[in-house]
Amino acid sequence: MTSYGKQTVTVEEQKGHSLTLALMVASTAVGGTVQYGYNLAITNAPTVYIQKFINETFQERWGVHLEVYKVTLIWTFIVSGFSLGGLIGALLAGPMSIHFGRKKTLLLNNIFLMSSALLAVTSRTARSFEMIMISRFLVGINAGVSMNVQPMYFGESAPKHLRGAVSLSSAVFTSFGVVLGQVVGLRELLGCESCWQYLLASNAVPGFIQLFTLPWFPESPRYLLIDCGDKDGCLKALRQLRGREVRTDELDEILQEQDEAQGKRTQQPWDLISDCSVRWQLISIAIISSAMQLCGNDSIYFYASYIFQEAGISAEHIQYVTIGTGACEFTACILCNLLIEQQGRRMLLVGGYALMTCCAAIFTVALSFQDVVSWMPYMSMVCVFTYILSFGMGPAGVTGILPTEIFNHTARPSAYMIAGSLMWLNLFIMGMIFPFLVNGLGQFCFMPFGVVCLLTAVYVGLVLPETKGKTLSTITNEFRTLNFHKQESTEPKSKQAHDQLSVVFHSIAL
């Protein structure tokens, strides 16, 4: 048995409420970041069939047979619609999470998803490729909102010693969504010509699971106390997530954050940009969020098929080997989840980007000698898997945690808006320029990615402080030396009022 103040908690109760937290995470993620990974993957299998459908539609309407490049251009707009929708979703995430709360935003977000699925499943009958385009845009909005709000909800609901692992589960579920999308997209399942419309609409299933399960779990305790002023609701949420074990140090941390946010309005993105006290926090999330896409990890998925073909794998088996790339990132994210509270955030980021830099260099050499040395294609395959593994063990998981840990409650929604917008914007840019990089640079096409990884590793190693197990005040104090070039106390000015409120809050909790 464990005692905290007047409370006595059995080991069984602790396990039971750890299970509650785990179920909350699963319920949130299945309709959240799973959608991002899933919708990235499911468009690969039906590419040829949808392009054929586009051509047939033009012939039926106007009697025009499109040239290949015109079909490819329309397909590019369909694919890029997902990124543009994600950018809009990232911009909506901040206002929605403030106005509706974290949990309700995630539930309302399914409106975009269900509308997208309805358009996708009826597009073939309606003979409209425009419906597919709108469908991808709407599901992009859904992914953009969930990619921002979910890590915020997790970071504000998890205890400090599990904050990193719980927040990192967003990346685990994203990679799981990629694998799931690759499996469902197999020709033997929904990746065949007769079923592509059902494949595009299958993302509604995880959405329904979330709609039926998430209402049973509480809102973010920090949102309830700081934004809504609901002390009783905050305590009820904490008890539901922790059991009867409501630790005084956790209450103190929430109260301190409330005290620091008292009298301050929620900051808008332009407020953060002009605020000198968060200058380096903002620079850090801008660089690290941009590097997530500019490192080329998503692009390497598209290049993988060519590499596997050059390695001698038959065309009919490439789809199964490609699943291995998604499974590789999924495994790496799980390992990162186990290591993050031991190794810390900075170590995983620096190590991940440093390994990716090495892989990009070796990959370039392997591509250069692929036609000369017989075993070089297999070296390319090793580089693909190692690159993805390095990404999954560091950048994929840690990046989404940082805004929660380095920004206070009033700045956090806007920080996620900025980080998410940069991520989606760079994803769109990479999707548009990657074919030109391959054509223009040839075997050197991954050198720019290697440079991005190297510069990001150097920046993180020199600038970003470690946030593992630290309170927001401690982290803010470390950034203060960068922002103002001197050490200043972060002791709350209203310390006496905070202590009085703490006594009242603890008495209610006990």
Side-chain angles (χ1 to χ4, degrees):
M1 302 179 75
T2 310
S3 298
Y4 292 95
K6 296 180 182 179
Q7 304 174 67
T8 302
V9 184
T10 65
V11 173
E12 288 74 15
E13 287 175 315
Q14 292 182 50
K15 288 182 178 178
H17 288 85
S18 294
L19 179 61
T20 301
L21 180 63
L23 290 174
M24 183 271 283
V25 167
S27 173
T28 305
V30 74
T33 53
V34 164
Q35 292 287 359
Y36 172 67
Y38 188 78
N39 285 288
L40 273 181
I42 61 173
T43 53
N44 291 329
T47 299
V48 176
Y49 307 134
I50 295 177
Q51 289 178 346
K52 180 182 176 183
F53 173 70
I54 292 170
N55 213 340
E56 290 174 351
T57 303
F58 265 83
Q59 286 182 313
E60 290 174 6
R61 290 181 185 176
W62 300 292
V64 176
H65 181 79
L66 294 177
E67 297 178 32
V68 174
Y69 81 92
K70 291 182 180 179
V71 175
T72 304
L73 181 62
I74 295 173
W75 173 248
T76 301
F77 280 116
I78 291 174
V79 173
S80 62
F82 182 68
S83 302
L84 292 176
L87 177 60
I88 300 300
L91 295 174
L92 290 175
M96 287 180 69
S97 65
I98 294 167
H99 185 74
F100 298 110
R102 292 20 170 178
K103 186 181 83 168
K104 191 175 291 186
T105 294
L106 291 167
L107 290 171
L108 290 173
N109 192 33
N110 284 288
I111 294 173
F112 300 113
L113 175 65
M114 298 307 170
S115 301
S116 167
L118 182 62
L119 286 170
V121 79
T122 56
S123 61
R124 191 168 190 169
T125 303
R127 310 301 294 172
S128 172
F129 64 85
E130 295 91 347
M131 292 172 67
I132 304 175
M133 207 175 291
I134 298 171
S135 170
R136 293 295 294 173
F137 178 75
L138 289 174
V139 80
I141 295 177
N142 172 270
V145 171
S146 62
M147 286 288 286
N148 282 7
V149 178
Q150 181 178 308
M152 199 187 319
Y153 183 36
F154 286 174
E156 293 177 354
S157 300
K160 184 169 63 177
H161 68 285
L162 292 177
R163 188 174 59 204
V166 170
S167 298
L168 183 62
S169 64
S170 296
V172 174
F173 281 99
T174 298
S175 56
F176 172 72
V178 170
V179 177
L180 185 61
Q182 290 171 335
V183 171
V184 175
L186 288 173
R187 288 188 295 270
E188 292 82 355
L189 297 177
L190 296 181
C192 55
E193 186 172 7
S194 60
C195 296
W196 60 259
Q197 71 273 27
Y198 303 114
L199 175 62
L200 294 182
S202 61
N203 50 27
V205 176
F208 277 117
I209 294 174
Q210 184 184 75
L211 284 171
F212 286 121
T213 57
L214 189 57
W216 296 96
F217 299 101
E219 178 58 88
S220 156
R222 292 174 188 264
Y223 173 81
L224 290 171
L225 179 64
I226 300 172
D227 284 283
C228 304
D230 187 358
K231 293 192 293 288
D232 293 335
C234 173
L235 286 168
K236 182 178 179 182
L238 284 171
R239 288 195 183 104
Q240 189 173 348
L241 293 170
R242 313 282 191 271
R244 294 177 60 196
E245 177 189 348
V246 183
R247 297 181 55 162
T248 56
D249 59 342
E250 184 173 11
L251 292 177
D252 283 334
E253 185 184 353
I254 297 175
L255 286 167
Q256 184 173 344
E257 189 172 352
Q258 183 200 34
D259 185 61
E260 292 171 355
Q262 198 165 16
K264 298 180 181 178
R265 65 180 180 86
T266 301
Q267 292 179 280
Q268 300 299 321
W270 48 88
D271 296 325
L272 292 186
I273 295 171
S274 61
D275 188 352
C276 293
S277 66
V278 295
R279 181 191 299 119
W280 281 97
Q281 288 97 312
L282 195 60
I283 291 172
S284 295
I285 67 161
I287 289 175
I288 296 171
S289 297
S290 297
M292 269 277 288
Q293 299 302 335
L294 297 180
C295 72
N297 183 74
D298 287 339
S299 300
I300 210 169
Y301 280 108
F302 299 110
Y303 209 59
S305 295
Y306 168 74
I307 296 167
F308 298 147
Q309 184 178 349
E310 289 297 308
I313 298 174
S314 60
E316 61 269 19
H317 292 144
I318 284 178
Q319 64 170 343
Y320 305 108
V321 180
T322 303
I323 293 176
T325 60
C328 185
E329 185 174 337
F330 180 48
T331 303
C333 286
I334 293 175
L335 290 175
C336 183
N337 199 291
L338 299 174
L339 293 173
I340 190 167
E341 296 300 348
Q342 298 176 7
Q343 303 299 322
R345 284 60 160 160
R346 187 167 63 174
M347 175 64 74
L348 292 177
L349 279 174
V350 173
Y353 280 118
L355 284 172
M356 290 168 73
T357 303
C358 295
C359 287
I362 298 172
F363 196 21
T364 301
V365 174
L367 289 175
S368 299
F369 292 94
Q370 192 151 271
D371 297 327
V372 179
V373 182
S374 61
W375 51 267
M376 275 300 175
Y378 298 99
M379 177 62 74
S380 299
M381 287 182 63
V382 171
C383 286
V384 168
F385 284 102
T386 308
Y387 199 89
I388 293 171
L389 187 69
S390 304
F391 178 79
M393 288 192 67
V398 179
T399 304
I401 301 172
L402 290 178
T404 297
E405 297 193 328
I406 66 179
F407 285 93
N408 64 28
H409 193 82
T410 58
R412 200 169 290 142
S414 291
Y416 269 105
M417 284 176 63
I418 294 171
S421 298
L422 287 171
M423 189 198 78
W424 285 100
L425 182 61
N426 283 300
L427 177 63
F428 174 74
I429 292 171
M430 286 306 305
M432 297 299 291
I433 70 170
F434 183 72
F436 299 99
L437 282 177
V438 174
N439 291 331
L441 298 179
Q443 69 268 30
F444 300 104
C445 63
F446 272 88
M447 287 306 294
F449 301 145
V451 172
V452 169
C453 293
L454 177 61
L455 294 177
T456 306
V458 171
Y459 175 84
V460 172
L462 295 178
V463 176
L464 189 70
E466 180 55 67
T467 60
K468 180 187 72 172
K470 295 178 181 178
T471 64
L472 178 64
S473 294
T474 303
I475 297 167
T476 302
N477 200 44
E478 293 185 27
F479 271 109
R480 192 175 294 270
T481 61
L482 291 171
N483 292 325
F484 299 107
H485 306 291
K486 62 181 181 178
Q487 186 74 23
E488 296 182 10
S489 172
T490 57
E491 186 74 18
K493 295 180 180 179
S494 51
K495 182 68 165 59
Q496 184 177 0
H498 170 266
D499 290 343
Q500 291 174 351
L501 183 58
S502 180
V503 170
V504 173
F505 202 29
H506 289 159
S507 66
I508 295 173
L510 296 173

